[in-house]
Amino acid sequence: YYLDKWSLESADTVIAVSKQTAKEVAKDYGFPLKKMTIIYNGVDPKRFFPEQRSEDIRRKFAVKDSMMILFVGRLRMRKGVQYLIRALPSVLKYENDTTLLIVGDGESRISIQNLTQKLGLQDHVKLLGKVSDDLLPKIYASSDVFVLPSLYEGFPLVILESMASGLPIIASKVSGIPEVVDNEAGVLVNPKDVTGLAEALCELIANHDERRKIGEYVRRKAVEEYSWSRIAEQTAQVYKSTMAEHV
């Protein structure tokens, strides 16, 4: 805490990855908001893009023509994967040909496996662990819906990666997520809301045209607002402005 506080107080300016993060820094460290600049994380739209959608990927990880729901992230309790798994039985009652792909590893892997078995979801939940950098963009593009049911986040890169890949998003209404996932980008639910997750998934599964419309919107938004080239320009401007103050 004291090293963080000293670093902040020694800085000419501080870049925060979301408005919510800036507010938390101001509250926890007494650092003035006026000395902070908001610059969101970025994404490479040439690495993550919808045209990588692959039927081979879909056949490898899911039942033919099934809905593919995707989670990407470290497996820890605060990521909320357990609530997504608990929502899946209700989704399967609506659309039995549904597969949840979980990409990532972590300390909660065993508990997630146990919950999956307890609910009898072994045929519908695939824990892929860590995947290669080449494979990950293809998995994004080949999925139908991205879900991030976190209890806390700063500003998650996976949201931007899913947007660039043209995926509708269902995410928790926490931290910096609502700053990028607006009403046109998908659905926000309260954290730990199993029923809300299930209803949001069923709604998107039922409406192919809506998924396509959202996919086009989030792809465009990722390219125009969150590409690394744009983020780099914003960051460079902060350095220029800060240096100019010392001339």
Side-chain angles (χ1 to χ4, degrees), residues 63 66-69 84-101 115-116 119-126 194 197-199 201-203 205:
V63 178
S66 71
M67 294 297 303
M68 274 178 47
I69 302 167
L84 175 55
I85 292 175
R86 291 186 182 279
L88 198 55
S90 296
V91 176
L92 293 173
K93 289 179 182 178
Y94 177 79
E95 177 54 74
N96 187 59
D97 287 337
T98 299
T99 301
L100 169 61
L101 300 187
L115 178 61
T116 299
L119 297 177
L121 298 173
Q122 299 93 317
D123 293 337
H124 297 277
V125 178
K126 310 293 184 183
V194 173
L197 284 170
E199 290 176 348
L201 279 165
C202 289
E203 180 179 343
I205 288 172

PDB file of all heavy atoms in Angstrom, residues 63 66-69 84-101 115-116 119-126 194 197-199 201-203 205:
ATOM      1  N   VAL A  63     -20.920 -30.001 -30.238  1.00  0.00           N
ATOM      2  CA  VAL A  63     -21.791 -30.807 -31.081  1.00  0.00           C
ATOM      3  C   VAL A  63     -22.114 -30.009 -32.334  1.00  0.00           C
ATOM      4  O   VAL A  63     -22.226 -28.780 -32.306  1.00  0.00           O
ATOM      5  CB  VAL A  63     -23.090 -31.166 -30.327  1.00  0.00           C
ATOM      6  CG1 VAL A  63     -24.024 -31.972 -31.214  1.00  0.00           C
ATOM      7  CG2 VAL A  63     -22.765 -31.928 -29.056  1.00  0.00           C
ATOM      8  N   SER A  66     -24.401 -26.818 -32.653  1.00  0.00           N
ATOM      9  CA  SER A  66     -24.800 -26.395 -31.310  1.00  0.00           C
ATOM     10  C   SER A  66     -24.392 -24.951 -31.072  1.00  0.00           C
ATOM     11  O   SER A  66     -23.562 -24.393 -31.787  1.00  0.00           O
ATOM     12  CB  SER A  66     -24.164 -27.289 -30.241  1.00  0.00           C
ATOM     13  OG  SER A  66     -22.769 -27.036 -30.153  1.00  0.00           O
ATOM     14  N   MET A  67     -24.994 -24.337 -30.063  1.00  0.00           N
ATOM     15  CA  MET A  67     -24.588 -23.004 -29.644  1.00  0.00           C
ATOM     16  C   MET A  67     -23.298 -23.121 -28.845  1.00  0.00           C
ATOM     17  O   MET A  67     -23.179 -23.985 -27.972  1.00  0.00           O
ATOM     18  CB  MET A  67     -25.670 -22.373 -28.768  1.00  0.00           C
ATOM     19  CG  MET A  67     -26.971 -22.092 -29.490  1.00  0.00           C
ATOM     20  SD  MET A  67     -26.777 -20.879 -30.825  1.00  0.00           S
ATOM     21  CE  MET A  67     -26.102 -19.482 -29.934  1.00  0.00           C
ATOM     22  N   MET A  68     -22.336 -22.265 -29.141  1.00  0.00           N
ATOM     23  CA  MET A  68     -21.071 -22.253 -28.408  1.00  0.00           C
ATOM     24  C   MET A  68     -20.983 -20.992 -27.563  1.00  0.00           C
ATOM     25  O   MET A  68     -20.921 -19.885 -28.089  1.00  0.00           O
ATOM     26  CB  MET A  68     -19.872 -22.353 -29.357  1.00  0.00           C
ATOM     27  CG  MET A  68     -19.520 -23.777 -29.712  1.00  0.00           C
ATOM     28  SD  MET A  68     -18.134 -23.949 -30.894  1.00  0.00           S
ATOM     29  CE  MET A  68     -16.901 -22.846 -30.208  1.00  0.00           C
ATOM     30  N   ILE A  69     -21.006 -21.190 -26.253  1.00  0.00           N
ATOM     31  CA  ILE A  69     -20.853 -20.093 -25.300  1.00  0.00           C
ATOM     32  C   ILE A  69     -19.396 -20.096 -24.842  1.00  0.00           C
ATOM     33  O   ILE A  69     -18.839 -21.155 -24.546  1.00  0.00           O
ATOM     34  CB  ILE A  69     -21.784 -20.281 -24.094  1.00  0.00           C
ATOM     35  CG1 ILE A  69     -23.239 -20.362 -24.558  1.00  0.00           C
ATOM     36  CG2 ILE A  69     -21.606 -19.155 -23.087  1.00  0.00           C
ATOM     37  CD1 ILE A  69     -24.193 -20.851 -23.488  1.00  0.00           C
ATOM     38  N   LEU A  84     -22.010 -19.084 -13.919  1.00  0.00           N
ATOM     39  CA  LEU A  84     -22.316 -19.400 -15.314  1.00  0.00           C
ATOM     40  C   LEU A  84     -22.660 -20.880 -15.461  1.00  0.00           C
ATOM     41  O   LEU A  84     -23.618 -21.239 -16.162  1.00  0.00           O
ATOM     42  CB  LEU A  84     -21.122 -19.037 -16.200  1.00  0.00           C
ATOM     43  CG  LEU A  84     -21.210 -19.398 -17.681  1.00  0.00           C
ATOM     44  CD1 LEU A  84     -22.457 -18.805 -18.321  1.00  0.00           C
ATOM     45  CD2 LEU A  84     -19.957 -18.928 -18.407  1.00  0.00           C
ATOM     46  N   ILE A  85     -21.901 -21.736 -14.786  1.00  0.00           N
ATOM     47  CA  ILE A  85     -22.178 -23.177 -14.846  1.00  0.00           C
ATOM     48  C   ILE A  85     -23.527 -23.483 -14.208  1.00  0.00           C
ATOM     49  O   ILE A  85     -24.293 -24.308 -14.722  1.00  0.00           O
ATOM     50  CB  ILE A  85     -21.041 -23.958 -14.159  1.00  0.00           C
ATOM     51  CG1 ILE A  85     -19.751 -23.834 -14.990  1.00  0.00           C
ATOM     52  CG2 ILE A  85     -21.416 -25.425 -13.987  1.00  0.00           C
ATOM     53  CD1 ILE A  85     -18.541 -24.452 -14.343  1.00  0.00           C
ATOM     54  N   ARG A  86     -23.835 -22.814 -13.109  1.00  0.00           N
ATOM     55  CA  ARG A  86     -25.136 -23.042 -12.461  1.00  0.00           C
ATOM     56  C   ARG A  86     -26.296 -22.558 -13.329  1.00  0.00           C
ATOM     57  O   ARG A  86     -27.426 -23.034 -13.185  1.00  0.00           O
ATOM     58  CB  ARG A  86     -25.161 -22.343 -11.098  1.00  0.00           C
ATOM     59  CG  ARG A  86     -24.232 -22.974 -10.063  1.00  0.00           C
ATOM     60  CD  ARG A  86     -24.404 -22.346  -8.692  1.00  0.00           C
ATOM     61  NE  ARG A  86     -23.483 -22.907  -7.725  1.00  0.00           N
ATOM     62  CZ  ARG A  86     -23.655 -24.060  -7.090  1.00  0.00           C
ATOM     63  NH1 ARG A  86     -24.743 -24.779  -7.328  1.00  0.00           N
ATOM     64  NH2 ARG A  86     -22.763 -24.485  -6.223  1.00  0.00           N
ATOM     65  N   ALA A  87     -26.034 -21.621 -14.212  1.00  0.00           N
ATOM     66  CA  ALA A  87     -27.078 -21.117 -15.109  1.00  0.00           C
ATOM     67  C   ALA A  87     -27.319 -22.062 -16.282  1.00  0.00           C
ATOM     68  O   ALA A  87     -28.393 -22.028 -16.908  1.00  0.00           O
ATOM     69  CB  ALA A  87     -26.702 -19.734 -15.631  1.00  0.00           C
ATOM     70  N   LEU A  88     -26.344 -22.907 -16.570  1.00  0.00           N
ATOM     71  CA  LEU A  88     -26.413 -23.726 -17.780  1.00  0.00           C
ATOM     72  C   LEU A  88     -27.588 -24.709 -17.810  1.00  0.00           C
ATOM     73  O   LEU A  88     -28.196 -24.891 -18.887  1.00  0.00           O
ATOM     74  CB  LEU A  88     -25.087 -24.471 -17.969  1.00  0.00           C
ATOM     75  CG  LEU A  88     -24.815 -25.016 -19.373  1.00  0.00           C
ATOM     76  CD1 LEU A  88     -24.912 -23.928 -20.424  1.00  0.00           C
ATOM     77  CD2 LEU A  88     -23.437 -25.684 -19.425  1.00  0.00           C
ATOM     78  N   PRO A  89     -27.960 -25.382 -16.703  1.00  0.00           N
ATOM     79  CA  PRO A  89     -29.113 -26.295 -16.770  1.00  0.00           C
ATOM     80  C   PRO A  89     -30.391 -25.634 -17.284  1.00  0.00           C
ATOM     81  O   PRO A  89     -31.143 -26.235 -18.061  1.00  0.00           O
ATOM     82  CB  PRO A  89     -29.273 -26.771 -15.322  1.00  0.00           C
ATOM     83  CG  PRO A  89     -27.888 -26.709 -14.769  1.00  0.00           C
ATOM     84  CD  PRO A  89     -27.290 -25.472 -15.391  1.00  0.00           C
ATOM     85  N   SER A  90     -30.624 -24.380 -16.881  1.00  0.00           N
ATOM     86  CA  SER A  90     -31.815 -23.661 -17.364  1.00  0.00           C
ATOM     87  C   SER A  90     -31.702 -23.369 -18.854  1.00  0.00           C
ATOM     88  O   SER A  90     -32.700 -23.419 -19.587  1.00  0.00           O
ATOM     89  CB  SER A  90     -31.985 -22.346 -16.593  1.00  0.00           C
ATOM     90  OG  SER A  90     -32.224 -22.593 -15.223  1.00  0.00           O
ATOM     91  N   VAL A  91     -30.492 -23.069 -19.311  1.00  0.00           N
ATOM     92  CA  VAL A  91     -30.272 -22.816 -20.737  1.00  0.00           C
ATOM     93  C   VAL A  91     -30.507 -24.098 -21.530  1.00  0.00           C
ATOM     94  O   VAL A  91     -31.119 -24.076 -22.613  1.00  0.00           O
ATOM     95  CB  VAL A  91     -28.845 -22.291 -20.976  1.00  0.00           C
ATOM     96  CG1 VAL A  91     -28.584 -22.121 -22.469  1.00  0.00           C
ATOM     97  CG2 VAL A  91     -28.637 -20.971 -20.248  1.00  0.00           C
ATOM     98  N   LEU A  92     -30.051 -25.229 -21.006  1.00  0.00           N
ATOM     99  CA  LEU A  92     -30.187 -26.513 -21.710  1.00  0.00           C
ATOM    100  C   LEU A  92     -31.641 -26.941 -21.830  1.00  0.00           C
ATOM    101  O   LEU A  92     -32.003 -27.655 -22.765  1.00  0.00           O
ATOM    102  CB  LEU A  92     -29.369 -27.586 -21.004  1.00  0.00           C
ATOM    103  CG  LEU A  92     -27.839 -27.397 -21.054  1.00  0.00           C
ATOM    104  CD1 LEU A  92     -27.141 -28.423 -20.168  1.00  0.00           C
ATOM    105  CD2 LEU A  92     -27.340 -27.493 -22.487  1.00  0.00           C
ATOM    106  N   LYS A  93     -32.481 -26.525 -20.890  1.00  0.00           N
ATOM    107  CA  LYS A  93     -33.911 -26.824 -21.005  1.00  0.00           C
ATOM    108  C   LYS A  93     -34.507 -26.105 -22.203  1.00  0.00           C
ATOM    109  O   LYS A  93     -35.452 -26.591 -22.829  1.00  0.00           O
ATOM    110  CB  LYS A  93     -34.636 -26.395 -19.722  1.00  0.00           C
ATOM    111  CG  LYS A  93     -34.326 -27.267 -18.512  1.00  0.00           C
ATOM    112  CD  LYS A  93     -35.075 -26.765 -17.283  1.00  0.00           C
ATOM    113  CE  LYS A  93     -34.741 -27.597 -16.060  1.00  0.00           C
ATOM    114  NZ  LYS A  93     -35.432 -27.096 -14.839  1.00  0.00           N
ATOM    115  N   TYR A  94     -33.925 -24.953 -22.520  1.00  0.00           N
ATOM    116  CA  TYR A  94     -34.405 -24.180 -23.669  1.00  0.00           C
ATOM    117  C   TYR A  94     -33.743 -24.645 -24.957  1.00  0.00           C
ATOM    118  O   TYR A  94     -34.403 -24.777 -25.989  1.00  0.00           O
ATOM    119  CB  TYR A  94     -34.121 -22.692 -23.431  1.00  0.00           C
ATOM    120  CG  TYR A  94     -34.526 -21.821 -24.595  1.00  0.00           C
ATOM    121  CD1 TYR A  94     -35.863 -21.471 -24.788  1.00  0.00           C
ATOM    122  CD2 TYR A  94     -33.585 -21.368 -25.503  1.00  0.00           C
ATOM    123  CE1 TYR A  94     -36.245 -20.689 -25.853  1.00  0.00           C
ATOM    124  CE2 TYR A  94     -33.953 -20.583 -26.581  1.00  0.00           C
ATOM    125  CZ  TYR A  94     -35.278 -20.250 -26.752  1.00  0.00           C
ATOM    126  OH  TYR A  94     -35.654 -19.487 -27.820  1.00  0.00           O
ATOM    127  N   GLU A  95     -32.405 -24.868 -24.911  1.00  0.00           N
ATOM    128  CA  GLU A  95     -31.653 -25.298 -26.085  1.00  0.00           C
ATOM    129  C   GLU A  95     -30.621 -26.326 -25.644  1.00  0.00           C
ATOM    130  O   GLU A  95     -29.565 -25.987 -25.134  1.00  0.00           O
ATOM    131  CB  GLU A  95     -30.978 -24.103 -26.756  1.00  0.00           C
ATOM    132  CG  GLU A  95     -30.115 -24.471 -27.963  1.00  0.00           C
ATOM    133  CD  GLU A  95     -30.879 -25.271 -28.996  1.00  0.00           C
ATOM    134  OE1 GLU A  95     -31.720 -24.693 -29.707  1.00  0.00           O
ATOM    135  OE2 GLU A  95     -30.622 -26.500 -29.066  1.00  0.00           O
ATOM    136  N   ASN A  96     -30.963 -27.596 -25.843  1.00  0.00           N
ATOM    137  CA  ASN A  96     -30.100 -28.667 -25.343  1.00  0.00           C
ATOM    138  C   ASN A  96     -28.772 -28.741 -26.082  1.00  0.00           C
ATOM    139  O   ASN A  96     -27.761 -29.174 -25.527  1.00  0.00           O
ATOM    140  CB  ASN A  96     -30.826 -30.016 -25.449  1.00  0.00           C
ATOM    141  CG  ASN A  96     -30.041 -31.129 -24.774  1.00  0.00           C
ATOM    142  OD1 ASN A  96     -29.755 -31.059 -23.583  1.00  0.00           O
ATOM    143  ND2 ASN A  96     -29.689 -32.154 -25.533  1.00  0.00           N
ATOM    144  N   ASP A  97     -28.758 -28.327 -27.349  1.00  0.00           N
ATOM    145  CA  ASP A  97     -27.514 -28.359 -28.123  1.00  0.00           C
ATOM    146  C   ASP A  97     -26.694 -27.099 -27.843  1.00  0.00           C
ATOM    147  O   ASP A  97     -26.507 -26.233 -28.708  1.00  0.00           O
ATOM    148  CB  ASP A  97     -27.819 -28.477 -29.621  1.00  0.00           C
ATOM    149  CG  ASP A  97     -28.302 -29.857 -29.991  1.00  0.00           C
ATOM    150  OD1 ASP A  97     -28.005 -30.808 -29.251  1.00  0.00           O
ATOM    151  OD2 ASP A  97     -28.974 -29.983 -31.023  1.00  0.00           O
ATOM    152  N   THR A  98     -26.230 -26.992 -26.611  1.00  0.00           N
ATOM    153  CA  THR A  98     -25.436 -25.850 -26.173  1.00  0.00           C
ATOM    154  C   THR A  98     -24.172 -26.346 -25.494  1.00  0.00           C
ATOM    155  O   THR A  98     -24.219 -27.256 -24.670  1.00  0.00           O
ATOM    156  CB  THR A  98     -26.231 -24.962 -25.193  1.00  0.00           C
ATOM    157  OG1 THR A  98     -27.399 -24.461 -25.845  1.00  0.00           O
ATOM    158  CG2 THR A  98     -25.389 -23.801 -24.699  1.00  0.00           C
ATOM    159  N   THR A  99     -23.050 -25.746 -25.851  1.00  0.00           N
ATOM    160  CA  THR A  99     -21.763 -26.111 -25.261  1.00  0.00           C
ATOM    161  C   THR A  99     -21.093 -24.878 -24.686  1.00  0.00           C
ATOM    162  O   THR A  99     -21.044 -23.837 -25.334  1.00  0.00           O
ATOM    163  CB  THR A  99     -20.826 -26.745 -26.312  1.00  0.00           C
ATOM    164  OG1 THR A  99     -21.448 -27.901 -26.860  1.00  0.00           O
ATOM    165  CG2 THR A  99     -19.501 -27.142 -25.678  1.00  0.00           C
ATOM    166  N   LEU A 100     -20.597 -25.003 -23.461  1.00  0.00           N
ATOM    167  CA  LEU A 100     -19.850 -23.939 -22.817  1.00  0.00           C
ATOM    168  C   LEU A 100     -18.361 -24.272 -22.897  1.00  0.00           C
ATOM    169  O   LEU A 100     -17.917 -25.298 -22.372  1.00  0.00           O
ATOM    170  CB  LEU A 100     -20.277 -23.784 -21.356  1.00  0.00           C
ATOM    171  CG  LEU A 100     -19.391 -22.889 -20.474  1.00  0.00           C
ATOM    172  CD1 LEU A 100     -19.353 -21.467 -21.015  1.00  0.00           C
ATOM    173  CD2 LEU A 100     -19.877 -22.909 -19.027  1.00  0.00           C
ATOM    174  N   LEU A 101     -17.592 -23.417 -23.560  1.00  0.00           N
ATOM    175  CA  LEU A 101     -16.146 -23.564 -23.615  1.00  0.00           C
ATOM    176  C   LEU A 101     -15.520 -22.650 -22.570  1.00  0.00           C
ATOM    177  O   LEU A 101     -15.819 -21.453 -22.533  1.00  0.00           O
ATOM    178  CB  LEU A 101     -15.605 -23.183 -24.993  1.00  0.00           C
ATOM    179  CG  LEU A 101     -16.098 -23.973 -26.212  1.00  0.00           C
ATOM    180  CD1 LEU A 101     -15.310 -23.545 -27.446  1.00  0.00           C
ATOM    181  CD2 LEU A 101     -15.953 -25.468 -25.989  1.00  0.00           C
ATOM    182  N   LEU A 115     -18.129 -29.096  -9.729  1.00  0.00           N
ATOM    183  CA  LEU A 115     -19.474 -28.539  -9.904  1.00  0.00           C
ATOM    184  C   LEU A 115     -20.086 -29.031 -11.204  1.00  0.00           C
ATOM    185  O   LEU A 115     -21.280 -29.376 -11.247  1.00  0.00           O
ATOM    186  CB  LEU A 115     -19.400 -27.008  -9.891  1.00  0.00           C
ATOM    187  CG  LEU A 115     -20.731 -26.273 -10.117  1.00  0.00           C
ATOM    188  CD1 LEU A 115     -21.733 -26.624  -9.028  1.00  0.00           C
ATOM    189  CD2 LEU A 115     -20.495 -24.753 -10.162  1.00  0.00           C
ATOM    190  N   THR A 116     -19.287 -29.091 -12.245  1.00  0.00           N
ATOM    191  CA  THR A 116     -19.764 -29.588 -13.540  1.00  0.00           C
ATOM    192  C   THR A 116     -20.267 -31.020 -13.427  1.00  0.00           C
ATOM    193  O   THR A 116     -21.339 -31.371 -13.944  1.00  0.00           O
ATOM    194  CB  THR A 116     -18.638 -29.508 -14.586  1.00  0.00           C
ATOM    195  OG1 THR A 116     -18.245 -28.143 -14.751  1.00  0.00           O
ATOM    196  CG2 THR A 116     -19.095 -30.057 -15.931  1.00  0.00           C
ATOM    197  N   LEU A 119     -23.561 -31.350 -11.361  1.00  0.00           N
ATOM    198  CA  LEU A 119     -24.761 -30.941 -12.101  1.00  0.00           C
ATOM    199  C   LEU A 119     -24.993 -31.781 -13.354  1.00  0.00           C
ATOM    200  O   LEU A 119     -25.946 -31.542 -14.087  1.00  0.00           O
ATOM    201  CB  LEU A 119     -24.658 -29.462 -12.484  1.00  0.00           C
ATOM    202  CG  LEU A 119     -24.603 -28.462 -11.315  1.00  0.00           C
ATOM    203  CD1 LEU A 119     -24.418 -27.045 -11.830  1.00  0.00           C
ATOM    204  CD2 LEU A 119     -25.860 -28.563 -10.459  1.00  0.00           C
ATOM    205  N   GLY A 120     -24.108 -32.757 -13.579  1.00  0.00           N
ATOM    206  CA  GLY A 120     -24.260 -33.641 -14.742  1.00  0.00           C
ATOM    207  C   GLY A 120     -24.072 -32.937 -16.070  1.00  0.00           C
ATOM    208  O   GLY A 120     -24.752 -33.258 -17.053  1.00  0.00           O
ATOM    209  N   LEU A 121     -23.119 -32.022 -16.122  1.00  0.00           N
ATOM    210  CA  LEU A 121     -22.938 -31.195 -17.315  1.00  0.00           C
ATOM    211  C   LEU A 121     -21.687 -31.551 -18.113  1.00  0.00           C
ATOM    212  O   LEU A 121     -21.242 -30.773 -18.963  1.00  0.00           O
ATOM    213  CB  LEU A 121     -22.860 -29.717 -16.908  1.00  0.00           C
ATOM    214  CG  LEU A 121     -24.107 -29.128 -16.233  1.00  0.00           C
ATOM    215  CD1 LEU A 121     -23.823 -27.721 -15.730  1.00  0.00           C
ATOM    216  CD2 LEU A 121     -25.299 -29.135 -17.174  1.00  0.00           C
ATOM    217  N   GLN A 122     -21.124 -32.728 -17.852  1.00  0.00           N
ATOM    218  CA  GLN A 122     -19.851 -33.103 -18.491  1.00  0.00           C
ATOM    219  C   GLN A 122     -19.917 -33.034 -20.011  1.00  0.00           C
ATOM    220  O   GLN A 122     -18.907 -32.722 -20.661  1.00  0.00           O
ATOM    221  CB  GLN A 122     -19.429 -34.514 -18.059  1.00  0.00           C
ATOM    222  CG  GLN A 122     -19.190 -34.682 -16.568  1.00  0.00           C
ATOM    223  CD  GLN A 122     -20.430 -35.166 -15.836  1.00  0.00           C
ATOM    224  OE1 GLN A 122     -21.534 -34.692 -16.083  1.00  0.00           O
ATOM    225  NE2 GLN A 122     -20.254 -36.131 -14.943  1.00  0.00           N
ATOM    226  N   ASP A 123     -21.082 -33.337 -20.587  1.00  0.00           N
ATOM    227  CA  ASP A 123     -21.206 -33.337 -22.048  1.00  0.00           C
ATOM    228  C   ASP A 123     -21.391 -31.937 -22.623  1.00  0.00           C
ATOM    229  O   ASP A 123     -21.343 -31.755 -23.851  1.00  0.00           O
ATOM    230  CB  ASP A 123     -22.400 -34.210 -22.475  1.00  0.00           C
ATOM    231  CG  ASP A 123     -22.167 -35.683 -22.177  1.00  0.00           C
ATOM    232  OD1 ASP A 123     -20.994 -36.084 -22.066  1.00  0.00           O
ATOM    233  OD2 ASP A 123     -23.160 -36.427 -22.053  1.00  0.00           O
ATOM    234  N   HIS A 124     -21.597 -30.966 -21.749  1.00  0.00           N
ATOM    235  CA  HIS A 124     -21.900 -29.611 -22.225  1.00  0.00           C
ATOM    236  C   HIS A 124     -20.879 -28.565 -21.791  1.00  0.00           C
ATOM    237  O   HIS A 124     -20.971 -27.410 -22.224  1.00  0.00           O
ATOM    238  CB  HIS A 124     -23.286 -29.190 -21.730  1.00  0.00           C
ATOM    239  CG  HIS A 124     -24.395 -30.037 -22.260  1.00  0.00           C
ATOM    240  ND1 HIS A 124     -24.964 -29.840 -23.495  1.00  0.00           N
ATOM    241  CD2 HIS A 124     -25.028 -31.123 -21.717  1.00  0.00           C
ATOM    242  CE1 HIS A 124     -25.912 -30.749 -23.696  1.00  0.00           C
ATOM    243  NE2 HIS A 124     -25.971 -31.535 -22.635  1.00  0.00           N
ATOM    244  N   VAL A 125     -19.927 -28.943 -20.953  1.00  0.00           N
ATOM    245  CA  VAL A 125     -18.901 -28.013 -20.487  1.00  0.00           C
ATOM    246  C   VAL A 125     -17.531 -28.564 -20.850  1.00  0.00           C
ATOM    247  O   VAL A 125     -17.181 -29.676 -20.479  1.00  0.00           O
ATOM    248  CB  VAL A 125     -18.979 -27.787 -18.960  1.00  0.00           C
ATOM    249  CG1 VAL A 125     -17.865 -26.855 -18.504  1.00  0.00           C
ATOM    250  CG2 VAL A 125     -20.334 -27.216 -18.568  1.00  0.00           C
ATOM    251  N   LYS A 126     -16.758 -27.793 -21.602  1.00  0.00           N
ATOM    252  CA  LYS A 126     -15.424 -28.209 -22.026  1.00  0.00           C
ATOM    253  C   LYS A 126     -14.393 -27.274 -21.394  1.00  0.00           C
ATOM    254  O   LYS A 126     -14.355 -26.078 -21.700  1.00  0.00           O
ATOM    255  CB  LYS A 126     -15.291 -28.139 -23.550  1.00  0.00           C
ATOM    256  CG  LYS A 126     -16.407 -28.827 -24.318  1.00  0.00           C
ATOM    257  CD  LYS A 126     -16.387 -30.326 -24.127  1.00  0.00           C
ATOM    258  CE  LYS A 126     -17.467 -30.987 -24.992  1.00  0.00           C
ATOM    259  NZ  LYS A 126     -17.532 -32.442 -24.784  1.00  0.00           N
ATOM    260  N   VAL A 194     -27.630 -15.959 -11.161  1.00  0.00           N
ATOM    261  CA  VAL A 194     -27.734 -17.155 -12.000  1.00  0.00           C
ATOM    262  C   VAL A 194     -28.932 -17.061 -12.938  1.00  0.00           C
ATOM    263  O   VAL A 194     -28.834 -17.367 -14.129  1.00  0.00           O
ATOM    264  CB  VAL A 194     -27.829 -18.415 -11.122  1.00  0.00           C
ATOM    265  CG1 VAL A 194     -28.114 -19.654 -11.966  1.00  0.00           C
ATOM    266  CG2 VAL A 194     -26.535 -18.604 -10.329  1.00  0.00           C
ATOM    267  N   LEU A 197     -28.286 -14.551 -15.764  1.00  0.00           N
ATOM    268  CA  LEU A 197     -27.386 -15.117 -16.772  1.00  0.00           C
ATOM    269  C   LEU A 197     -28.141 -16.058 -17.699  1.00  0.00           C
ATOM    270  O   LEU A 197     -27.995 -16.008 -18.924  1.00  0.00           O
ATOM    271  CB  LEU A 197     -26.240 -15.870 -16.091  1.00  0.00           C
ATOM    272  CG  LEU A 197     -25.133 -15.035 -15.458  1.00  0.00           C
ATOM    273  CD1 LEU A 197     -24.221 -15.915 -14.614  1.00  0.00           C
ATOM    274  CD2 LEU A 197     -24.320 -14.312 -16.532  1.00  0.00           C
ATOM    275  N   ALA A 198     -28.957 -16.935 -17.112  1.00  0.00           N
ATOM    276  CA  ALA A 198     -29.712 -17.909 -17.909  1.00  0.00           C
ATOM    277  C   ALA A 198     -30.687 -17.204 -18.850  1.00  0.00           C
ATOM    278  O   ALA A 198     -30.794 -17.560 -20.032  1.00  0.00           O
ATOM    279  CB  ALA A 198     -30.466 -18.870 -16.989  1.00  0.00           C
ATOM    280  N   GLU A 199     -31.379 -16.198 -18.350  1.00  0.00           N
ATOM    281  CA  GLU A 199     -32.356 -15.483 -19.177  1.00  0.00           C
ATOM    282  C   GLU A 199     -31.669 -14.741 -20.319  1.00  0.00           C
ATOM    283  O   GLU A 199     -32.169 -14.733 -21.455  1.00  0.00           O
ATOM    284  CB  GLU A 199     -33.150 -14.511 -18.306  1.00  0.00           C
ATOM    285  CG  GLU A 199     -34.113 -15.212 -17.343  1.00  0.00           C
ATOM    286  CD  GLU A 199     -34.829 -14.233 -16.429  1.00  0.00           C
ATOM    287  OE1 GLU A 199     -34.413 -13.039 -16.393  1.00  0.00           O
ATOM    288  OE2 GLU A 199     -35.789 -14.651 -15.744  1.00  0.00           O
ATOM    289  N   LEU A 201     -28.802 -15.495 -21.730  1.00  0.00           N
ATOM    290  CA  LEU A 201     -28.324 -16.488 -22.698  1.00  0.00           C
ATOM    291  C   LEU A 201     -29.459 -17.009 -23.567  1.00  0.00           C
ATOM    292  O   LEU A 201     -29.328 -17.096 -24.795  1.00  0.00           O
ATOM    293  CB  LEU A 201     -27.642 -17.648 -21.963  1.00  0.00           C
ATOM    294  CG  LEU A 201     -26.199 -17.397 -21.531  1.00  0.00           C
ATOM    295  CD1 LEU A 201     -25.747 -18.438 -20.514  1.00  0.00           C
ATOM    296  CD2 LEU A 201     -25.274 -17.408 -22.746  1.00  0.00           C
ATOM    297  N   CYS A 202     -30.568 -17.324 -22.954  1.00  0.00           N
ATOM    298  CA  CYS A 202     -31.716 -17.838 -23.714  1.00  0.00           C
ATOM    299  C   CYS A 202     -32.217 -16.798 -24.713  1.00  0.00           C
ATOM    300  O   CYS A 202     -32.590 -17.135 -25.843  1.00  0.00           O
ATOM    301  CB  CYS A 202     -32.841 -18.250 -22.768  1.00  0.00           C
ATOM    302  SG  CYS A 202     -32.485 -19.743 -21.805  1.00  0.00           S
ATOM    303  N   GLU A 203     -32.210 -15.547 -24.299  1.00  0.00           N
ATOM    304  CA  GLU A 203     -32.676 -14.477 -25.180  1.00  0.00           C
ATOM    305  C   GLU A 203     -31.788 -14.351 -26.414  1.00  0.00           C
ATOM    306  O   GLU A 203     -32.288 -14.227 -27.538  1.00  0.00           O
ATOM    307  CB  GLU A 203     -32.694 -13.161 -24.410  1.00  0.00           C
ATOM    308  CG  GLU A 203     -33.176 -11.969 -25.234  1.00  0.00           C
ATOM    309  CD  GLU A 203     -33.201 -10.673 -24.428  1.00  0.00           C
ATOM    310  OE1 GLU A 203     -33.155 -10.746 -23.192  1.00  0.00           O
ATOM    311  OE2 GLU A 203     -33.249  -9.601 -25.056  1.00  0.00           O
ATOM    312  N   ILE A 205     -29.661 -16.691 -27.584  1.00  0.00           N
ATOM    313  CA  ILE A 205     -29.716 -17.943 -28.349  1.00  0.00           C
ATOM    314  C   ILE A 205     -30.926 -17.957 -29.270  1.00  0.00           C
ATOM    315  O   ILE A 205     -30.867 -18.428 -30.409  1.00  0.00           O
ATOM    316  CB  ILE A 205     -29.747 -19.152 -27.384  1.00  0.00           C
ATOM    317  CG1 ILE A 205     -28.367 -19.337 -26.736  1.00  0.00           C
ATOM    318  CG2 ILE A 205     -30.154 -20.428 -28.121  1.00  0.00           C
ATOM    319  CD1 ILE A 205     -28.351 -20.386 -25.636  1.00  0.00           C
TER     320      ILE A 205
END
